[in-house]
Amino acid sequence: MRAADIPAGGETITFTDQGNISSWAREAVDALSGQGIILGDPDGSFQPQKAATRAEAAVTFVRTLEKVKLVQSDM
């Protein structure tokens, strides 16, 4: 969130297991899910205690880079 300069706020976490997301991570999860960078699992959960796979990490990284590129091209 900070690396891509994505602002906090404006979104509300809607994952079925949102109560399991640590308080220190909620703001970032909120912002990144609101920007479509993290989508969670197809069943509507986020599974914050599960380790991310390499594929999940790669998709998140690519989506973040795309978001940064879009923001920079608007300037």
Side-chain angles (χ1 to χ4, degrees):
M1 179 179 121
R2 285 183 258 161
D5 200 24
I6 295 171
E11 299 296 327
T12 303
I13 297 172
T14 57
F15 298 113
T16 58
D17 57 351
Q18 64 194 24
N20 296 333
I21 300 171
S22 298
S23 59
W24 60 267
R26 284 182 181 268
E27 182 179 59
V29 171
D30 229 8
L32 295 175
S33 66
Q35 293 292 319
I37 294 173
I38 55 174
L39 305 176
D41 287 345
D43 66 357
S45 67
F46 183 67
Q47 299 188 22
Q49 304 304 316
K50 182 186 97 174
T53 65
R54 281 185 278 183
E56 290 168 335
V59 167
T60 301
F61 186 66
V62 168
R63 287 180 184 153
T64 302
L65 289 176
E66 288 172 348
K67 181 59 77 176
V68 170
K69 183 178 177 184
L70 289 174
V71 170
Q72 289 178 349
S73 66
D74 289 344
M75 294 180 157

